[in-house]
Amino acid sequence: MALRRATLMLIMLAYGLLAGCETTREHLLAQGYPPAFVDGFDDGCSSGRQAAGIISGTFRKDVPRYLKDAAYAEGWSDGFRQCQAQVESEERRAYFERFHDDEDDDWERNRDNAMGRALHPD
């Protein structure tokens, strides 16, 4: 159930980001999530981005509310995990793209050198 909810939340977060016109907060509220959950999700998401190393992310957590309000706590935890994972996934993808681009450059350089040696054996 928690995995299903997390998957749904990730899809909603991605949809909200792609929609452009609607913030994640507005989208979650429109989907019927309680305001306390959405407040927690916003705070957790910012905190998760900060934990993943994004400079613009700031750690935000209303600790007294987190301890007393289950909806806020659940939203904070979901937002933290999803946004941290999203940043890490984007960084991993960028690393692999850069790594594979470097491999392609090395292959082309080696091919060109071999072609040069074959055409000019001196």
Side-chain angles (χ1 to χ4, degrees):
M1 180 74 165
L3 181 58
R4 186 175 177 196
R5 183 179 304 143
T7 302
L8 178 62
M9 288 300 298
L10 185 58
I11 291 168
M12 288 190 309
L13 176 63
Y15 175 80
L17 294 173
L18 292 174
C21 298
E22 186 176 51
T23 66
T24 302
R25 176 179 190 76
E26 291 166 343
H27 183 73
L28 291 173
L29 289 169
Q31 293 297 312
Y33 285 91
F37 178 92
V38 176
D39 291 345
F41 190 92
D42 282 345
D43 289 351
C45 185
S46 180
S47 301
R49 293 175 54 77
Q50 188 267 340
I54 297 295
I55 294 171
S56 62
T58 57
F59 184 85
R60 295 191 321 235
K61 187 177 198 179
D62 184 340
V63 176
R65 188 174 181 188
Y66 181 88
L67 294 173
K68 292 181 181 182
D69 186 342
Y72 177 87
E74 183 179 8
W76 192 94
S77 297
D78 285 354
F80 182 91
R81 282 192 313 272
Q82 289 178 32
C83 293
Q84 181 183 32
Q86 180 184 22
V87 169
E88 290 171 352
S89 177
E90 289 168 359
E91 289 176 351
R92 192 169 30 257
R93 182 190 49 76
Y95 170 79
F96 284 118
E97 284 179 4
R98 188 172 58 248
F99 178 73
H100 290 296
D101 286 345
D102 291 345
E103 281 183 350
D104 292 342
D105 292 344
D106 290 343
W107 181 84
E108 287 179 20
R109 190 172 22 265
N110 289 335
R111 181 200 61 199
D112 293 344
N113 289 339
M115 181 66 81
R117 284 190 304 274
L119 296 174
H120 304 286
D122 295 323

